[in-house]
């Protein structure tokens, strides 16, 4: 999710991609209801100072909490614009064509929360978790592959087919009007992720790959996860986009989606 949130933040001039945000491992937000309480939102590790490219590479939660929901002087996109840009890339929407028909997924928003929870008030933390693809966020592998292909395609979203068309296929593509310089930042972040970040298992000599990993926590106890990796290759002249998802593995599993993609 983070590359697409980054593109939204750049499109809305929320942050300069070179601005660094400090991740000490968490941020604390004062409760608006109780002055003695704060809510802690954690990163998966302390990353130190990270700019946008590095935040994508190392998958910093704190960076994307802040650009997603705002924190300590840093403006955030807010849930309405988060949803706008995630939908732009096809999340929360059906994939066209009977062959690919399936679940539309979920982008959490205030209306969704009211419909699904007794306490239906939307809070800042809900925005934070949506900005990193957690909470109620759901997506399918075909949505993820299609979305990352739009990054590789310089902002062109493609409706997938399983056979080569003989007629003009322009009706199957949609130009998302994403600035090339913004796409370049995200692509560089994803390439850096392979070279030194969370996707370094895909740093192989045979081909240059750009990728972003993801870990979807399952259940209340969070003892199992869905391991994801999305990306494209070759980096400089992309021909293929991919999404690998391994379902319901233990959190301690050393075999990840990147392991499978490397093979």
């Amino acid at each position: 999710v983070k590359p697409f949130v980054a593109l939204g933040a750049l499109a809305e001039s929320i942050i300069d991609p070179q601005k660094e945000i400090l991740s000490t491992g968490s941020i604390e937000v004062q409760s608006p209801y109780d002055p003695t309480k704060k809510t802690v939102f954690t990163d998966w590790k302390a990353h130190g100072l990270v700019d946008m490219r590095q935040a994508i590479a190392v998958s910093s939660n704190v960076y994307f909490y802040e650009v997603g929901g705002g924190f300590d002087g840093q403006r955030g996109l807010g849930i309405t614009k988060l949803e706008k840009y995630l939908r732009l890339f096809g999340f929360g929407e059906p994939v066209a064509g009977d062959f690919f028909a399936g679940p539309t997924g979920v982008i959490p928003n205030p209306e969704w929360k009211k419909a699904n929870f007794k306490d239906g008030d939307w809070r800042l933390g809900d925005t934070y978790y949506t900005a990193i693809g957690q909470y109620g966020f759901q997506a399918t592998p075909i949505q993820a592959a299609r979305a990352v292909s739009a990054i590789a395609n310089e902002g062109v979203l493609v409706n997938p087919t399983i056979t080569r068309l003989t007629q003009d296929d322009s009706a199957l593509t949609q130009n998302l009007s994403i600035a090339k310089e913004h796409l370049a930042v995200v692509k560089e972040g994803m390439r850096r992720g392979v070279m030194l970040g969370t996707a370094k298992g895909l740093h192989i000599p045979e081909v240059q790959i750009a990728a972003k990993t993801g870990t979807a926590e399952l259940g209340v106890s969070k003892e199992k996860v869905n391991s994801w990796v999305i990306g494209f290759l070759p980096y400089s002249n992309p021909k293929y986009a991919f999404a690998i998802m391994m379902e319901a593995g233990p959190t301690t599993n050393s075999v990840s989606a990147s392991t499978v993609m490397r093979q």
Side-chain angles (χ1 to χ4, degrees), residues 47-81:
H47 299 288
L49 287 167
V50 292
D51 64 7
M52 183 173 283
R53 292 172 176 85
Q54 188 69 1
I56 292 170
V58 301
S59 199
S60 170
N61 289 345
V62 163
Y63 184 95
F64 285 96
Y65 292 150
E66 296 196 20
V67 300
F71 180 78
D72 194 26
Q74 171 58 54
R75 285 194 305 133
L77 277 165
I79 190 58
T80 300
K81 288 182 178 177

Side-chain angles (χ1 to χ4, degrees), residues 84-151:
K84 169 187 173 181
Y85 286 97
L86 290 168
R87 287 193 183 278
L88 184 68
F89 283 91
F91 294 106
E93 302 288 344
V95 177
D98 292 340
F99 184 85
F100 295 101
T104 58
V106 174
I107 303 173
N109 61 25
E111 293 73 26
W112 169 86
K113 188 173 184 182
K114 286 178 181 178
N116 286 279
F117 292 88
K118 290 181 180 179
D119 175 12
D121 292 339
W122 186 265
R123 296 185 172 88
L124 176 60
D126 301 331
T127 301
Y128 282 168
Y129 289 133
T130 301
I132 65 166
Q134 297 285 358
Y135 192 37
F137 194 98
Q138 292 183 322
T140 65
I142 191 66
Q143 287 175 330
R146 182 174 177 242
V148 77
S149 78
I151 294 177

Side-chain angles (χ1 to χ4, degrees), residues 20-43:
E20 294 181 322
I21 288 177
L22 178 64
S23 168
T24 60
S26 65
I27 57 174
E28 294 183 346
V29 176
Q30 177 65 56
S31 169
Y33 310 103
D34 186 341
T36 67
K37 293 183 179 179
K38 293 183 178 180
T39 303
V40 178
F41 299 90
T42 60
D43 213 325

